[in-house]
Amino acid sequence: MRVRCRQIIHPAADIPVAEYDGIRVGSVYPVLEMVAYDIDCQIRVLGPGTPDPGLLWDTADFETVDTRIPPGWTLVIADGRTRLADARWQRPGFWTDYHHGDPQALADYAHVKRELLTDAPPHEN
């Protein structure tokens, strides 16, 4: 799945900007995961200058340009959240483990990221 950034509202200044943390308006990015809770839905995207593990963005700021769901992705509903992501990221505590430097979580993240970036066409402007 790939999306094009339509707008960026700077989180601190609440004004439109052309670029933020490696994401640029008009560019296309692979989606690393989708997370929904309550009425909020966000996607994790990773731009060329974005630090790992990418950033969560409001889906209202993007439009879909490639609707294909990557192989190995699963939909999990738990704890009031709905997550669409690679099955290796769906285990309870994955992101906590990742942020604490757990070797298995870091390896799973790196493997999935490599797969998604390999399957995605180059970053477009």
Side-chain angles (χ1 to χ4, degrees), residues 4 11-12 23 29 41 44-45 51 63 72 74 83 92 94-95 98 109 112:
R4 177 177 291 111
I23 303 298
Y29 304 96
C41 185
R44 183 178 305 276
V45 297
E63 64 186 355
T74 59
R83 294 186 60 218
F94 170 78
W95 286 113
Y98 171 88
Y109 172 80
V112 172

Side-chain angles (χ1 to χ4, degrees), residues 52 86 88-89 91 94-95 97-115:
D52 279 323
D86 189 279
R88 290 164 280 193
W89 294 3
R91 69 174 172 76
F94 170 78
W95 286 113
D97 292 347
Y98 171 88
H99 289 295
H100 287 139
D102 176 76
Q104 185 61 56
L106 294 172
D108 288 343
Y109 172 80
H111 186 81
V112 172
K113 173 186 162 184
R114 190 172 39 256
E115 285 178 353

